[in-house]
């Protein structure tokens, strides 16, 4: 990424990213609000909104030429997601303001984790490749209840529930739906597709996981990757190194 951007004015940075940010925000609002108005179902709207954030934030961030560019573009996706959360919270008792804030923080942490991986790239091509890696990784974690069966069942009794807890704690899908008020979400292990294909809630109890645990997991990951990237950039531009 272009280190000369450290000395570029704020107005210049905003101006060169304005179009990308508008596209990111516009597409986010269109997809998320479109889902809400078409289906009128809060849980489905939130899951689509989460999926969009997971995919769109790293992809838009990959087009930035500097760290600040990438964060502005990815951040536009996060901020625009607040629109559907506000609408959902105002629409009825299913979500509420507190639930909307919790989900917004979940979206922030997940998007930041994806963008942090993108920022490891040294050029446009590598950043776009890493955006695919970031999206694939987070989607794989979200699909943990399906592919982790063997790991969970092969573990000893004490570790079985711990691993199951980890699978749930790292899963933004579970955490997002958990933010709905009682009676408006759904019990995952009572859904046929989950009951038939995952041991969570069937053979292994599902322990309750607070939303902030998921936020913490992705935030720690993001800041760790960010710290690694900062060290790499410092070493790369240290006097005496090319």
């Amino acid at each position: 990424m272009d280190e000369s951007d450290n000395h570029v004015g704020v107005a210049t940075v905003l101006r060169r990213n304005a179009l990308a940010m508008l596209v990111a925000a516009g597409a986010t609002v269109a997809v998320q609000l479109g889902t809400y108005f078409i289906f009128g179902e809060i849980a489905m709207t939130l899951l689509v909104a989460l999926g969009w954030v997971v995919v769109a934030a790293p992809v838009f961030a990959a087009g930035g030429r500097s760290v600040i560019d990438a964060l502005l573009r990815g951040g536009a996706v996060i901020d625009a997601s607040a629109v559907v959360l506000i609408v959902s919270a105002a629409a009825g008792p299913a979500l509420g303001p507190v639930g909307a804030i919790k989900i917004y923080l979940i979206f922030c942490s997940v998007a930041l984790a994806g963008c942090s991986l993108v920022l490891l790239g040294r050029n446009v091509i590598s950043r776009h490749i890493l955006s695919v890696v970031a999206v694939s990784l987070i989607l794989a974690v979200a699909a943990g209840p399906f592919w982790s069966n063997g790991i969970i069942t092969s573990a000893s009794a004490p570790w079985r529930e711990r691993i199951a807890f980890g699978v749930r704690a790292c899963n933004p899908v579970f955490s997002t739906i958990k933010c709905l008020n009682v009676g408006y979400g759904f019990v995952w292990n009572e859904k046929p597709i989950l009951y038939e294909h995952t041991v969570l809630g069937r053979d292994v109890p599902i322990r309750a996981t607070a939303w902030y645990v998921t936020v913490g997991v992705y935030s720690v990951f993001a800041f760790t990757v960010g710290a690694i990237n900062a060290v790499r950039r410092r070493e790369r531009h240290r006097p005496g190194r090319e």
Side-chain angles (χ1 to χ4, degrees):
M1 297 185 185
D2 192 350
E3 291 297 316
S4 63
D5 287 344
N6 293 333
H7 307 288
V8 173
V10 174
T12 300
V13 173
L14 291 175
R15 187 163 51 248
R16 74 172 178 228
N17 289 290
L19 180 59
M21 292 170 66
L22 286 174
V23 171
T28 298
V29 172
V31 169
Q32 296 177 348
L33 277 186
T35 301
Y36 174 78
F37 287 118
I38 291 173
F39 296 99
E41 209 281 313
I42 299 296
M44 178 178 290
T45 298
L46 294 178
L47 292 181
V48 171
L50 172 63
W52 176 260
V53 169
V54 168
V55 174
V59 170
F60 278 103
R65 55 183 282 188
S66 69
V67 172
I68 188 64
D69 290 347
L71 293 178
L72 284 173
R73 294 173 183 222
V77 175
I78 302 172
D79 291 340
S81 296
V83 175
V84 76
L85 294 177
I86 292 172
V87 171
S88 299
L95 183 59
V98 175
I101 293 172
K102 292 176 181 178
I103 293 175
Y104 179 76
L105 293 175
I106 292 172
F107 286 3
C108 287
S109 63
V110 171
L112 188 60
C115 292
S116 68
L117 283 175
V118 169
L119 291 173
L120 290 175
R122 296 187 179 184
N123 52 55
V124 174
I125 295 177
S126 63
R127 290 196 294 274
H128 278 92
I129 292 174
L130 285 171
S131 71
V132 175
V133 173
V135 171
S136 301
L137 180 60
I138 297 174
L139 290 179
V141 172
F146 296 100
W147 56 258
S148 63
N149 289 337
I151 299 173
I152 295 173
T153 55
S154 63
S156 59
W159 282 98
R160 194 173 299 152
E161 291 189 20
R162 294 172 187 169
I163 296 173
F165 175 80
V167 170
R168 176 161 184 165
C170 295
N171 196 319
V173 174
F174 280 100
S175 298
T176 297
I177 295 301
K178 185 70 175 176
C179 293
L180 287 171
N181 291 324
V182 177
Y184 292 96
F186 51 85
V187 181
W188 287 92
N189 54 293
E190 290 182 1
K191 292 294 178 179
I193 189 172
L194 278 170
Y195 185 79
E196 295 172 3
H197 298 286
T198 179
V199 298
L200 295 179
R202 185 187 68 191
D203 303 319
V204 179
I206 301 180
R207 292 173 54 192
T209 307
W211 63 273
Y212 52 79
V213 174
T214 304
V215 171
V217 168
Y218 284 94
S219 297
V220 169
F221 176 84
F223 284 114
T224 300
V225 175
I228 293 172
N229 189 33
V231 171
R232 286 179 54 199
R233 288 161 60 83
R234 190 180 303 112
E235 287 295 317
R236 194 164 65 244
H237 295 91
R238 192 173 59 184
R241 294 180 64 104
E242 293 297 329

